[in-house]
Amino acid sequence: MCQSIAESYAGKSIFITGCTGFLGKVLLEKILYSCSDLKKVYILLRGKRGLTIQERLKTLLELPVFSRVYREKAKFCDKIEPIVGDVSQDGLGISPEDRVTLINEVSYVFHSAASIKFTEPLHDLLNVNVKGTERVLSLCKCMKKLEVLVHVSTAYSNTHKIFIEEKVYPSPIPLSMVDHLIKEQPDEERTKIIIRDEPNAYTFSKKLGEALLAEKHGHVPVIIIRPSIVTASLSEPIPGWIDNWNGATGLIGTITKGILRVVRGNGGNVLDLIPVDYVVNLIIVAATKKILSQSVNVYACATSTEKPLTLRHLSHLALIRCKRNKFNELPFPGAYFTNSKLLLVFLSAILQTSPLSLADALLRMTGKDPKYRKILRRIEQVRDVLEIFTSNSWKFSTMNNYCLYSSLSPSDQKTFPFSPSLINCRRSAGLGVSLRHRFVMRTAPYFLAACGRVCLPTPWLYTEGVALASTC
């Protein structure tokens, strides 16, 4: 009889990088909640001035994302062992004692640590996303019990193709150049020449990270997970949970608040969103499937091929929920999409800058601090960075994903849902609303609350937001 996913982890130890990130937090929570018989979870944490490593861990675990595991798995803290280190440092910055522990104890490695800032200098991105991956791989090669290294990449690591298969594509530059580029610290103009047709330096660095694993993994079995745009959870650990207003979150959040009204792109383009819990479930399940040591398996986690959601439809669904619950701060929220740069500038002045200037003037007259122009300046920067993704569409093969999910028992499919086909193929009981609709509706409060770091009180995120999300 085949082992369940939870049984595969029983009595074994895992090592996770990137636990303080959005995806990393959900990964840590889920593995502790659904695979509670595991032996130890070693997590890599950077040292922080004024805080001990235990204090950093305590601060992390006090976040609402861990409320479920606190409530139902009382002794889960005993299984977590923080390791002081940093993927940007030689040897991961790990002490000799901790290194010995990891070498002797760890069976699974989940590498999700990465620099995800699109505008970060190329040399910094290469140091973290490529050399950091190489440092993790070097440690894995020494581990005595290692079964697999799972590396979190991005579905947008190969945008030179319109249809992207679940395989590793050739490196755009020789990997031997990475060290040279880190030392050279190329400026913006030089970076554009190096990355050529890549959307940005981030996707370029993730492509190199994949190529490095394929070329240098040796005897270490490697699984690469390629999520598209990771956004709020569908179900776990809290429906609609998100902890940042980066990327698409900020874009949709400010549209529904009535601040951002003009976006560069075609409303018919697909914005490929995937719930964070789906990505985490895929990571956990994929690691348990034995692969040959010479193999590098790739799993995409994306919706564009099976369940595409266009920018226009996404905006429409979010605005329906927004208006129903009166989330907008300014009247008549909506979004206009255009491919014309000239029209973008003109409409931004008419539909955004002028009304927001008036709104700020009214705030001043009532004795309040102006805020809308400040928010707009920040979100326009995000909009411009994301322009490549709103102005184009890609399709990602998810055949490996589908086959993996199909191989699970009904019980594991229920515990670890990750197939994109689930997101809108079924109807929610009694509501006649697809799961894709439920996903967008659930996340709307959290898109708004995430933006509310600038203009909403923090408790709103976990009180009213949770209550509203749970009723969707």
Side-chain angles (χ1 to χ4, degrees):
M1 184 176 178
C2 294
Q3 282 185 317
S4 69
I5 300 302
E7 288 171 341
S8 297
Y9 287 97
K12 297 178 181 178
S13 296
I14 65 177
F15 176 49
I16 306 177
T17 71
C19 271
T20 57
F22 171 49
L23 186 145
K25 291 168 190 165
V26 181
L27 174 58
L28 176 60
E29 194 276 344
K30 178 64 174 180
I31 197 82
L32 290 166
Y33 183 79
S34 296
C35 304
S36 53
D37 289 333
L38 52 79
K39 184 180 177 181
K40 279 283 184 184
V41 180
Y42 298 96
I43 64 173
L44 191 70
L45 289 177
R46 285 183 293 181
K48 198 169 185 179
R49 186 176 298 177
L51 290 176
T52 66
I53 196 69
Q54 291 298 336
E55 287 172 336
R56 282 212 70 194
L57 177 61
K58 183 175 182 293
T59 301
L60 175 67
L61 297 180
E62 285 175 348
L63 295 172
V65 66
F66 295 101
S67 58
R68 176 180 68 164
V69 73
Y70 257 119
R71 189 170 59 248
E72 300 180 36
K73 312 285 181 179
K75 295 185 177 180
F76 81 96
C77 286
D78 297 340
K79 295 182 181 290
I80 303 175
E81 190 71 38
I83 301 290
V84 179
D86 188 336
V87 296
S88 68
Q89 298 179 9
D90 290 341
L92 301 176
I94 296 174
S95 70
E97 295 78 15
D98 286 337
R99 180 178 173 84
V100 170
T101 299
L102 295 175
I103 287 172
N104 291 330
E105 297 294 329
V106 170
S107 297
Y108 298 98
V109 174
F110 299 135
H111 177 43
S112 67
S115 175
I116 60 172
K117 295 179 180 178
F118 294 171
T119 56
E120 194 87 357
L122 178 60
H123 57 275
D124 288 338
L125 286 164
L126 293 178
N127 185 42
V128 174
N129 296 347
V130 184
K131 293 301 290 186
T133 299
E134 186 173 28
R135 292 170 188 127
V136 172
L137 178 61
S138 296
L139 178 61
C140 289
K141 288 180 177 180
C142 301
M143 290 178 173
K144 298 176 181 179
K145 299 180 180 179
L146 184 71
E147 296 186 25
V148 69
L149 162 61
V150 182
H151 170 70
V152 181
S153 184
T154 173
Y156 296 95
S157 58
N158 296 283
T159 53
H160 62 292
K161 298 279 188 179
I162 298 298
F163 181 76
I164 300 165
E165 300 176 69
E166 291 169 293
K167 67 178 185 179
V168 179
Y169 288 85
S171 173
I173 62 170
L175 292 173
S176 57
M177 285 183 62
V178 171
D179 288 330
H180 169 73
L181 291 173
I182 292 173
K183 292 177 182 177
E184 178 191 341
Q185 299 189 5
D187 59 19
E188 188 173 342
E189 288 304 314
R190 171 89 170 114
T191 295
K192 289 179 181 178
I193 295 171
I194 294 167
I195 68 174
R196 288 179 289 190
D197 296 329
E198 290 297 319
N200 49 60
Y202 165 73
T203 60
F204 178 79
S205 68
K206 296 301 277 187
K207 175 185 278 192
L208 289 179
E210 289 187 10
L212 181 141
L213 287 172
E215 183 176 312
K216 298 186 176 183
H217 72 97
H219 66 277
V220 176
V222 171
I223 290 173
I224 294 173
I225 305 295
R226 283 190 192 146
S228 54
I229 300 171
V230 183
T231 190
S233 61
L234 180 61
S235 301
E236 299 178 284
I238 303 170
W241 183 80
I242 197 165
D243 73 343
N244 64 80
W245 67 309
N246 299 326
T249 304
L251 206 66
I252 298 171
T254 47
I255 288 172
T256 52
K257 289 179 79 69
I259 297 172
L260 184 68
R261 297 173 184 268
V262 188
V263 178
R264 177 85 187 277
N266 188 324
N269 287 342
V270 172
L271 190 66
D272 199 310
L273 304 179
I274 193 74
V276 65
D277 44 339
Y278 272 46
V279 182
V280 162
N281 289 335
L282 174 58
I283 291 169
I284 294 171
V285 171
T288 66
K289 301 304 174 181
K290 308 302 180 189
I291 64 173
L292 299 175
S293 60
Q294 66 268 27
S295 299
V296 176
N297 287 8
V298 179
Y299 295 95
C301 202
T303 56
S304 60
T305 301
E306 294 185 64
K307 309 294 175 184
L309 183 62
T310 65
L311 283 165
R312 188 177 294 110
H313 194 189
L314 173 62
S315 174
H316 173 70
L317 293 174
L319 287 168
I320 287 175
R321 193 63 182 176
C322 163
K323 293 173 183 176
R324 187 179 301 168
N325 292 283
K326 299 180 180 179
F327 290 131
N328 55 299
E329 292 193 7
L330 299 175
F332 313 115
Y336 184 88
F337 300 97
T338 177
N339 281 317
S340 167
K341 286 188 177 182
L342 185 62
L343 196 56
L344 180 77
V345 173
F346 175 74
L347 290 175
S348 294
I350 299 299
L351 300 178
Q352 292 175 175
T353 307
S354 298
L356 294 183
S357 296
L358 177 60
D360 277 342
L362 292 174
L363 287 177
R364 288 191 188 93
M365 291 172 61
T366 57
K368 298 177 182 178
D369 292 331
K371 61 182 180 180
Y372 293 114
R373 287 291 302 276
K374 180 180 178 181
I375 297 172
L376 179 63
R377 282 194 297 270
R378 294 180 62 182
I379 202 60
E380 282 184 332
Q381 292 175 348
V382 174
R383 180 193 66 184
D384 294 343
V385 168
L386 292 179
E387 181 181 304
I388 185 71
F389 302 105
T390 56
S391 300
N392 295 277
S393 286
W394 293 271
K395 287 190 175 182
F396 307 102
S397 170
T398 53
M399 184 56 67
N400 291 349
N401 180 310
Y402 174 80
C403 292
L404 179 62
Y405 185 75
S406 298
S407 71
L408 300 182
S409 67
S411 175
D412 279 337
Q413 287 183 345
K414 183 178 180 180
T415 305
F416 301 97
F418 60 80
S419 174
S421 63
L422 301 174
I423 291 179
N424 74 334
C425 67
R426 295 181 298 180
R427 299 284 175 177
S428 60
L431 294 178
V433 181
S434 73
L435 282 179
R436 180 174 67 184
H437 286 61
R438 289 170 62 201
F439 169 49
V440 175
M441 289 178 178
R442 279 177 169 178
T443 60
Y446 285 85
F447 285 137
L448 297 171
C451 285
R453 290 190 172 187
V454 176
C455 53
L456 291 177
T458 302
W460 190 90
L461 176 56
Y462 299 112
T463 53
E464 183 184 0
V466 172
L468 288 168
S470 63
T471 63
C472 294

